[in-house]
Amino acid sequence: MDTKYLDLLTEKYDSEEKIVTEIINLDAILNLPKGTEHFVSDLHGEYHAFQHVLRNGSGNVKEKIRDLFKDELTDKEINEFATLVYYPEEKLKMMVNSFAKNQDLEVWYAETIERMIRLVSYASSKYTNSKVRKALPQSFVYIIEELLYEKNELNNKTDYYSSIIARVISLGQANKLITGLAYTIQRLVVDHLHVVGDIYDRGPDPDKIMDTLMNYHSVDVQWGNHDVLWIGAYSGSMVCLANIIRICARYDNLSIIEDGYGINLRPLLNLANKYYEDNTAFRPKMNSKKEDVLGENILQITKIHQAISIIQFKLEMSIIKRRPDFNMHHRLLLEKINYEEKTIELNGITYPLENTCFNTIDPNNPCELTKEEEQVMNKLLFSIHHSEKLARHIHFLMNNGSLYLKYNSNLLIHGCIPLNEDGSMKEMVLDGKSYCGRELLDLFENHLRYSFRNSKVTNDFSTDLVWYLWTGENSSLFGKKDMTTFERYFIKDKATHKEWKNPYYTLRENEEICRAILCEFGLNPDQGHIINGHTPVEEINGENPIKANSKMIVIDGGFSKAYQPKTGIAGYTLLYNSYGMQLVAHKRFNSKEDVLANGTDVLSVKRVVDRELQRKKVSETNIGQKLLEQIADLQQLLEYCYRKNK
């Protein structure tokens, strides 16, 4: 072992007893049951639905309540208690107002605190005392620990415990204690959260989701294609920046840009007002809560939508021309337009164009930005780089995220592994070298991280490759032949709108293909699963999210309201505890108020994916591997620094 490392260890463990104690502690932890992992995907800015799923642990909270109190509480009372755990502040206010007498309220407080303590004890049964202590509300740690480790065998301390609870109530601290216990339960039912991509775009509050994740006790993110757009914009990619503004305009969510991140859109609005008029193809998809938006605001969004779309198409052409390795020359669409006749030729067929808004395009040099457009984009990029909140969020994504993750024998990936029709790994040639499979994804991630570290540099290869991740044929995040955004705006014939998926999305039904992918990433195909997001599962049409004999699990079931008519549900989540995996389907989340009033959840069905033959322990997990390495280091320290000197 490196002597410098030994010196650092001896600063922390300066006696033989400390080393031995830590070895015993870590070795004991290895024999605990593995913690519960919670998988979510494709949140798309739906903060309130995500919050509810997070608070109820995809049904894990109510399941523990039912297990513990099934012989004591009715179904209605179980629902009431579960709602109190999910939304303690709001539910407590309702309950307090429902009691006519203070005496009745005090009895309810005492019963509720006692039940909360029992539930904390039950939910924490597979954790060490020190881990539970960290999860407790700091202002009540001593009180809760006294109640938590109550021993009533001889009834010697019954009055002691009763007096603690009574004094908490008489001092007006019951609400605070119950609230703290509720959040402790939420934390204990899920040990680790995986977000398998697409926090951003479509929905109204991705910034609030990011704030939640930054305060979550244990989380990782596998970047989705929409997340990479935001990372790319922050990393200096003007075309990624144009894309995120266009999508926000399309879904009437420009407030994310302006109010959420403080980015000034006034220069873009001035440009839009100068060159664009109303255009039905660019009117925003309205959110139901915004039906009363004034017509003038809709017109402004429509103009901005057109202005940024044209800028985006121009910037994309510039990248395609300077990066021949991207093999996208067939997407130089602005050069294929007959501007006088308003037609375009694609694959030998001439199509009429409608809803055109080509006022700032020079037919002789269609990819060139006007001076005004260039000034606007420079100002927007400056604002992006100086948004303190966005900087915090993107740094969090980079520090806690990756394109894929190998975790506890499973492969977590948002999009796909690009494949050929025969199931072999699809190759991409860059600078004369071929990349495929894991090596290709590693290349993408290395360039994305380089672009992030050098955000003041634009138009370099790494920054262009970030955009390729959004729209390129060989991108593991896009997974289609072409992105037909232009065609959907301007061509009526829907045959041109078709986006052909990579063979992966058909072949992932095949168990042997999934096993080969797991092997490609160094995972055991007998034990592992691929956990996927990105493509909504159309359960309404009978599609099964559990594929390839359970080797493939797709958990994008439609958190985004835009997808729910197509999927028939409102998202899948996955739970993986020491007993195995369960897939949870969710009904549409209406509101927190609905849950509080009716005590209803948004869960529909839990399906067993895999049942462990033998309960899995911490020793068999990623964390267990790290603990084993720590034990080995401590044993070496004990041998060389202490016993050697005896």
Side-chain angles (χ1 to χ4, degrees):
M1 188 185 297
D2 187 276
T3 54
K4 290 183 179 179
Y5 182 44
L6 282 173
D7 290 340
L8 289 173
L9 279 179
T10 53
E11 290 179 11
K12 183 175 182 181
Y13 304 102
D14 55 4
S15 70
E16 184 175 343
E17 290 76 12
K18 287 184 179 180
I19 300 173
V20 170
T21 299
E22 185 65 2
I23 290 173
I24 294 170
N25 175 49
L26 296 178
D27 191 63
I29 292 172
L30 290 171
N31 290 286
L32 289 171
K34 78 173 284 293
T36 298
E37 296 171 62
H38 191 190
F39 301 78
V40 299
S41 173
D42 296 87
L43 305 175
H44 286 300
E46 297 294 345
Y47 168 74
H48 295 290
F50 171 61
Q51 271 284 309
H52 187 67
V53 167
L54 207 59
R55 286 168 181 260
N56 69 20
S58 286
N60 221 8
V61 169
K62 184 174 285 187
E63 189 173 292
K64 291 189 180 300
I65 292 172
R66 197 176 297 280
D67 288 345
L68 191 58
F69 298 108
K70 60 179 179 291
D71 296 327
E72 301 175 37
L73 302 177
T74 65
D75 285 344
K76 182 180 179 181
E77 289 170 331
I78 286 172
N79 287 338
E80 289 280 335
F81 190 46
T83 306
L84 176 63
V85 176
Y86 306 158
Y87 301 107
E89 295 94 343
E90 295 88 344
K91 190 65 176 178
L92 279 167
K93 187 175 181 180
M94 293 171 63
M95 294 304 299
V96 169
N97 293 335
S98 70
F99 286 99
K101 299 179 181 178
N102 283 340
Q103 187 176 4
D104 293 336
L105 176 60
E106 289 174 3
V107 171
W108 180 84
Y109 272 144
E111 289 177 348
T112 301
I113 291 170
E114 186 269 336
R115 286 173 183 156
M116 283 279 190
I117 292 292
R118 287 170 62 191
L119 186 55
V120 168
S121 178
Y122 185 58
S124 65
S125 60
K126 60 184 178 183
Y127 299 127
T128 63
N129 289 349
S130 62
K131 187 166 185 174
V132 175
R133 188 179 302 115
K134 292 175 184 176
L136 297 175
Q138 291 305 302
S139 53
F140 293 106
V141 167
Y142 169 75
I143 292 172
I144 295 172
E145 285 191 327
E146 285 294 296
L147 297 172
L148 201 56
Y149 305 121
E150 171 187 356
K151 299 294 183 185
N152 273 334
E153 289 88 347
L154 301 177
N155 296 320
N156 289 332
K157 298 174 74 174
T158 301
D159 292 343
Y160 169 72
Y161 296 119
S162 298
S163 68
I164 291 175
I165 294 175
R167 203 61 174 149
V168 166
I169 296 168
S170 68
L171 291 172
Q173 299 300 302
N175 280 10
K176 291 181 180 179
L177 177 59
I178 291 170
T179 299
L181 290 168
Y183 286 119
T184 296
I185 293 161
Q186 291 179 28
R187 175 168 174 172
L188 291 173
V189 297
V190 171
D191 191 47
H192 186 77
L193 176 68
H194 304 284
V195 182
V196 193
D198 277 357
I199 296 163
Y200 282 92
D201 292 335
R202 293 196 172 91
D205 299 307
D207 55 323
K208 293 180 180 178
I209 293 176
M210 288 300 302
D211 285 337
T212 299
L213 295 178
M214 289 179 70
N215 290 307
Y216 200 74
H217 58 275
S218 184
V219 63
D220 57 58
V221 180
Q222 292 71 61
W223 305 316
N225 48 323
H226 290 272
D227 306 322
V228 163
L229 264 189
W230 284 77
I231 295 170
Y234 183 80
S235 301
S237 171
M238 282 192 179
V239 70
C240 288
L241 173 56
N243 265 284
I244 65 173
I245 297 172
R246 178 186 63 78
I247 293 169
C248 285
R250 180 173 175 78
Y251 289 92
D252 189 22
N253 285 323
L254 287 173
S255 60
I256 297 169
I257 304 283
E258 294 184 291
D259 302 331
Y261 288 119
I263 295 163
N264 183 13
L265 292 179
R266 176 57 60 178
L268 179 60
L269 177 59
N270 292 339
L271 175 75
N273 281 330
K274 182 174 180 180
Y275 290 103
Y276 298 94
E277 302 295 335
D278 191 17
N279 188 328
T280 56
F282 290 86
R283 288 176 188 164
K285 293 178 180 290
M286 302 301 295
N287 295 322
S288 58
K289 69 177 182 179
K290 295 185 178 180
E291 288 176 351
D292 58 343
V293 173
L294 297 176
E296 182 62 29
N297 286 345
I298 295 174
L299 180 58
Q300 286 188 348
I301 296 168
T302 302
K303 291 178 178 180
I304 287 174
H305 193 177
Q306 293 170 85
I308 201 65
S309 296
I310 295 302
I311 289 171
Q312 174 190 318
F313 298 141
K314 290 181 177 182
L315 291 169
E316 287 175 342
M317 285 184 62
S318 296
I319 295 177
I320 292 169
K321 286 190 168 186
R322 67 175 174 259
R323 306 297 175 199
D325 279 352
F326 290 0
N327 196 27
M328 295 178 69
H329 272 74
H330 61 289
R331 298 301 297 170
L332 295 171
L333 300 183
L334 299 185
E335 292 183 350
K336 300 177 184 294
I337 296 173
N338 184 321
Y339 288 91
E340 291 184 359
E341 298 183 7
K342 292 187 178 179
T343 61
I344 188 170
E345 185 177 325
L346 299 176
N347 300 317
I349 302 174
T350 300
Y351 297 94
L353 296 173
E354 54 185 23
N355 307 310
T356 55
C357 49
F358 302 150
N359 305 16
T360 67
I361 295 177
D362 177 1
N364 296 317
N365 191 5
C367 69
E368 184 179 29
L369 295 182
T370 66
K371 287 185 178 179
E372 290 168 284
E373 289 172 331
E374 190 173 352
Q375 289 171 354
V376 165
M377 292 308 296
N378 284 328
K379 289 177 181 177
L380 288 170
L381 200 58
F382 179 86
S383 293
I384 282 277
H385 284 150
H386 289 80
S387 169
E388 186 272 336
K389 184 177 180 180
L390 183 61
R392 284 190 286 108
H393 288 174
I394 299 301
H395 277 80
F396 175 83
L397 278 180
M398 297 305 294
N399 291 333
N400 295 274
S402 55
L403 273 182
Y404 67 88
L405 180 67
K406 299 190 297 178
Y407 198 93
N408 293 346
S409 302
N410 298 312
L411 176 64
L412 284 59
I413 183 166
H414 176 73
C416 72
I417 306 301
L419 300 176
N420 296 309
E421 293 286 352
D422 63 0
S424 59
M425 303 289 171
K426 195 172 191 301
E427 294 185 347
M428 182 177 184
V429 178
L430 293 169
D431 288 332
K433 183 179 177 181
S434 293
Y435 301 87
C436 67
R438 181 178 180 177
E439 188 180 24
L440 179 61
L441 269 63
D442 287 341
L443 177 81
F444 287 148
E445 181 164 336
N446 288 338
H447 280 284
L448 192 151
R449 292 190 182 279
Y450 178 86
S451 180
F452 168 74
R453 292 193 302 269
N454 298 275
S455 60
K456 301 301 182 184
V457 180
T458 62
N459 300 335
D460 64 314
F461 178 77
S462 293
T463 306
D464 288 349
L465 199 61
V466 176
W467 169 76
Y468 183 89
L469 273 170
W470 163 250
T471 191
E473 179 181 1
N474 295 308
S475 165
S476 61
L477 296 180
F478 180 48
K480 298 177 184 177
K481 174 68 175 173
D482 296 308
M483 186 177 290
T484 58
T485 305
F486 179 94
E487 290 89 332
R488 281 178 270 129
Y489 281 131
F490 299 118
I491 302 176
K492 186 176 182 180
D493 189 341
K494 290 188 177 180
T496 65
H497 303 179
K498 178 72 175 178
E499 294 180 344
W500 298 96
K501 292 181 181 179
N502 184 271
Y504 170 89
Y505 291 102
T506 302
L507 295 172
R508 69 181 178 178
E509 303 274 356
N510 185 315
E511 182 180 353
E512 290 307 312
I513 295 294
C514 293
R515 293 174 73 89
I517 291 172
L518 289 167
C519 289
E520 168 72 10
F521 285 81
L523 293 168
N524 185 335
D526 293 328
Q527 297 179 357
H529 309 78
I530 301 169
I531 299 168
N532 231 167
H534 189 52
T535 52
V537 176
E538 297 182 24
E539 184 174 274
I540 197 171
N541 294 323
E543 184 179 358
N544 191 347
I546 305 171
K547 305 175 185 294
N549 194 23
S550 299
K551 288 299 164 188
M552 170 70 65
I553 306 160
V554 183
I555 61 170
D556 179 6
F559 259 98
S560 173
K561 291 185 176 71
Y563 287 139
Q564 288 170 9
K566 182 179 179 182
T567 62
I569 59 170
Y572 291 109
T573 55
L574 185 69
L575 294 170
Y576 180 27
N577 61 25
S578 57
Y579 292 107
M581 285 184 170
Q582 283 187 321
L583 187 74
V584 185
H586 298 263
K587 297 176 183 176
R588 180 167 181 168
F589 178 79
N590 292 318
S591 67
K592 174 173 64 176
E593 290 70 26
D594 182 50
V595 177
L596 287 164
N598 303 310
T600 55
D601 264 335
V602 291
L603 310 174
S604 53
V605 180
K606 281 190 176 184
R607 296 182 232 177
V608 174
V609 178
D610 247 348
R611 178 73 65 187
E612 294 291 342
L613 297 176
Q614 188 172 354
R615 196 174 187 190
K616 193 175 283 290
K617 296 181 179 180
V618 171
S619 59
E620 302 168 80
T621 67
N622 284 36
I623 291 174
Q625 184 58 46
K626 292 179 181 178
L627 295 181
L628 287 168
E629 291 171 2
Q630 291 178 33
I631 290 171
D633 288 349
L634 290 168
Q635 287 175 329
Q636 197 168 349
L637 180 66
L638 186 65
E639 177 68 26
Y640 289 99
C641 291
Y642 293 97
R643 292 180 179 168
K644 185 178 179 181
N645 296 325
K646 286 187 176 180

